Amino acid sequence: MSSQPEAADLHVSDELVINIKDMHKWYGSFHVLKNVNLEVYRGERIVICGPSGSGKSTLIRCINRLEEHQQGQIIVDNVELTNDLKNIDAIRREVGMVFQHFNLFPHLTVLENCALAPIWVKQVPRKEAEATAMKYLTRVKIPEQAEKFPGQLSGGQQQRVAIARSLCMNPRIMLFDEPTSALDPEMIKEVLDVMIELAKEGMTMLCVTHEMGFAKTVANRVIFMDGGEIIEENNPHEFFDNPQHERTKLFLSQILAH
Amino acid sequence: MSTEQSYEIGEYPDLAPPVTEVGIIGWIRHNLFSSTTNIVITVLTIYFLYVIIPPMLNWIFLDAVFVAESRDDCRAIAQAAGQELGACWAFIGKRFEIFVYGFYPVEERWRVDLSFIMMLAALVPVLFDHVPYRKQGLWFSLIAPVIIGWLLIGGMGLTPVPTDKFGGFMLTLTIGVTGIVGSLPIGIALALGRQSHMPALRMVCVAFIEFIRGVPLITLLFVASTMLNYFLPPGTTFDLLLRVLIMVTLFSSAYIAEVIRGGLQALPKGQIEAADSMGLKYWQSMRLIILPQALKISIPGIVNTFIGLYKDTTLVIIIGLFDPLGMGRASLADTKWQGLSTEIYVFVAIFFFVSCFSMARYSLYLEKKLHTGH
């Protein structure tokens, strides 16, 4: 990887894929997300960081309606997220998600995990879905594990299966919710490598992570959140070398100190 | 020690374990004589078995009389052979048919036999994966209950047999199997309903479950046999056995619902989130992701409830149906065979034990088969 961030410009394309406008969310009476505004263009690689409890996971979980927002607008691929189940389903078909704890289905084999959603959601014939699954398993470098159950794999392997599983739906946007936080240190790299590959291929990615090295090499934009607000956003070069806000400086000093 | 040898660091090979750790000797040492307490328990157990088993074998087999005409006959035969008097199984032999068929008309009993065979045939594809023609078998399993119902009750070309002629083991099986087959889907529906986001549906399910659980089965059976007559318009006849079947099914479905709810709650929230994020619909996620896992976790509880239900079928004696236990008690009134209650109860106990133990073993087999961890 080059040492300099290659994409200093914020806009890698003009096609707006996610548009969040004046969005608020509450858990009961707790105001988790405050007036969030975010525009994501096709092909962007956005890293969202911030202290725990800052609302960064909640934000990306709002994008595919795992969490409901109470005010403002979220428009994904020209479809607005409302209570209309049809819209929600349409958006979920386009948006893949990778979780911190993998969330593979333990009663299904790796191959079945990957082929399940294409078969049932997109009505792809089983043979074809399995072939696609094998293709993506090969891309995340574990085709030989296809017949095993998730419980027989290491954490890093499970997370790579989870990525392959999302890719099988052929999503236009990928959300990553702390994909490496539950992994042993020696397995982080294998997962990050897969994500870097994806970024190179032009996938639109929103990634909540504490991997600052990943942010520096892959992201074209880094967003810092605290207390439910977007405090600062910039290209990684500026973000790390020249943070503007006091809270950003404090956060960066804390995570880069050790 | 002679086995001691030096290796380069990092080159130490895997050695075979010492003989005392493996094989029969290892097993005995580990399991029977590993500590003082263990040794005491082992010795006491062996002594206990020595005291219990020989007399039991004598009573059941060696001193038992298998063919006789009455209890006095049994006694005479035993004396003539110079034995102590063991079990008088001749009694069971004479009464065997009534134990199996109840009061079902003798010339129609082939229908019960055929139903029993069909039930077994219908169960095989449901219970086991690797049987030939499983797909066709499952279709048969689906229609078998209708055919069995027709065979047992009659009509449409068969001589009708009123359900008050049902009795003995066939009654136990009828109630037990209907209850088990009926209560699982109802229980699943109730468990899902109880977790629903729709308040009205949730409240109906909670009210149903709590009402059924809060009332003893016997009370429900009484309600079934008497109270329903008050509620239903006069002149409606509602078959007693049908009422019992409905009540037993509803009763155990409430328990099944709670067992499955436990399984549902044990699943991490991430499972449903993963299913949602891939765009699976509610029923797809339930059928493909949530229920297979929740039911697997719930197997011990579900089978426990089924075994309870199966044994609770003996309660129908209270409302005038004759299950094997009821048949046994009725048979004891026969003066020729007076005083042979032990034989009757042991026989009925063996029947129930075989059924329930099979269910327990099947559940273990299923748990093992569905285990996918490492």
Side-chain angles (χ1 to χ4, degrees), chain A residues 61 92 104 106-107 120 151, chain B residues 271 273 276 287-288 372 374:
Chain A
R61 286 160 61 88
R92 283 175 176 169
L104 295 176
H107 62 301
W120 291 96
Chain B
Q271 291 291 306
E273 285 180 351
D276 280 348
R287 193 165 62 83
L288 301 166
T372 56
H374 44 123

Side-chain angles (χ1 to χ4, degrees), chain A residues 61 64 66 89 92 95 99 103-107 116-117 120-121 149 151-152 165 169, chain B residues 269-271 273-281 284 287-289 292-293 372-374:
Chain A
R61 286 160 61 88
N64 67 350
L66 287 183
D89 284 339
R92 283 175 176 169
V95 180
F99 299 85
N103 297 356
L104 295 176
F105 306 130
H107 62 301
L116 184 92
W120 291 96
V121 178
F149 287 98
Q152 297 163 318
R165 179 175 72 171
M169 283 294 282
Chain B
K269 212 166 150 248
Q271 291 291 306
E273 285 180 351
D276 280 348
S277 74
M278 295 192 301
L280 289 170
K281 301 238 187 322
Q284 290 176 333
R287 193 165 62 83
L288 301 166
I289 310 296
Q293 296 185 63
T372 56
H374 44 123

Side-chain angles (χ1 to χ4, degrees), chain A:
Chain A
M1 291 267 98
S2 62
S3 57
Q4 281 296 309
E6 68 235 37
D9 56 326
L10 292 186
H11 296 257
V12 295
S13 82
D14 289 331
E15 190 189 350
L16 189 61
V17 282
I18 302 175
N19 190 2
I20 302 177
K21 283 190 271 191
D22 308 326
M23 192 263 281
H24 293 257
K25 173 171 177 59
W26 287 263
Y27 281 130
S29 59
F30 177 53
H31 200 169
V32 237
L33 292 177
K34 298 168 182 168
N35 197 36
V36 173
N37 284 282
L38 179 65
E39 290 180 350
V40 181
Y41 291 86
R42 163 102 34 244
E44 280 205 272
R45 290 92 51 203
I46 297 178
V47 162
I48 304 170
C49 59
S52 85
S54 59
K56 50 197 190 312
S57 285
T58 312
L59 172 61
I60 68 164
R61 286 160 61 88
C62 281
I63 294 172
N64 67 350
R65 219 358 129 87
L66 287 183
E67 304 286 352
E68 197 178 327
H69 62 286
Q70 280 86 31
Q71 229 180 69
Q73 269 187 318
I74 300 178
I75 300 165
V76 183
D77 248 351
N78 297 320
V79 182
E80 184 177 357
L81 271 174
T82 57
N83 280 325
D84 189 343
L85 286 177
K86 237 196 257 144
N87 287 0
I88 296 175
D89 284 339
I91 288 172
R92 283 175 176 169
R93 272 197 294 271
E94 300 297 325
V95 180
M97 186 161 201
V98 175
F99 299 85
Q100 180 179 3
H101 295 288
F102 331 135
N103 297 356
L104 295 176
F105 306 130
H107 62 301
L108 300 176
T109 63
V110 164
L111 190 65
E112 289 167 335
N113 262 280
C114 293
L116 184 92
I119 291 172
W120 291 96
V121 178
K122 290 193 159 171
Q123 275 84 39
V124 176
R126 178 173 295 273
K127 275 248 168 66
E128 200 180 307
E130 289 182 348
T132 313
M134 281 313 293
K135 186 181 98 188
Y136 285 113
L137 285 173
T138 311
R139 251 178 64 180
V140 301
K141 302 186 184 68
I142 32 175
E144 73 282 359
Q145 311 284 5
E147 297 306 322
K148 288 197 182 158
F149 287 98
Q152 297 163 318
L153 306 185
S154 73
Q157 290 174 323
Q158 289 193 47
Q159 193 60 298
R160 284 186 283 152
V161 172
I163 294 174
R165 179 175 72 171
S166 286
L167 291 178
C168 283
M169 283 294 282
N170 204 10
R172 292 158 60 97
I173 302 163
M174 286 283 283
L175 308 173
F176 292 86
D177 188 1
E178 305 204 20
T180 55
S181 303
L183 295 176
D184 288 337
E186 78 267 26
M187 291 169 184
I188 291 176
K189 187 174 177 296
E190 63 189 53
V191 171
L192 289 180
D193 283 346
V194 169
M195 291 167 62
I196 291 169
E197 283 295 309
L198 263 182
K200 276 187 188 162
E201 285 158 26
M203 176 67 78
T204 310
M205 297 164 69
L206 271 83
C207 186
V208 174
T209 184
H210 299 295
E211 295 298 328
M212 291 302 129
F214 175 77
K216 280 177 190 164
T217 48
V218 174
N220 69 308
R221 180 147 60 124
V222 181
I223 291 175
F224 173 69
M225 287 184 75
D226 193 12
E229 288 180 275
I230 293 182
I231 303 287
E232 182 168 350
E233 56 177 307
N234 215 329
N235 66 59
H237 189 66
E238 284 294 308
F239 181 85
F240 289 109
D241 293 349
N242 191 15
Q244 301 296 312
H245 202 283
E246 279 310 312
R247 281 198 256 181
T248 317
K249 288 177 190 164
L250 178 67
F251 176 73
L252 287 176
S253 71
Q254 278 166 342
I255 58 166
L256 299 175
H258 60 90

Side-chain angles (χ1 to χ4, degrees), chain B residues 15 42 74 79 101 115 157 200 211 233 243 285 292 332 359:
Chain B
L15 301 177
T42 302
C74 263
Q79 240 161 22
Y101 300 104
S115 300
F211 169 72
R243 284 180 275 178
S285 335
L332 286 173
M359 284 193 246

Side-chain angles (χ1 to χ4, degrees), chain B residues 58 61-65 74-87:
Chain B
N58 280 342
F61 297 110
L62 301 177
D63 295 339
V65 178
C74 263
R75 213 172 264 148
I77 290 169
Q79 240 161 22
Q83 307 163 340
E84 301 242 341
L85 179 58

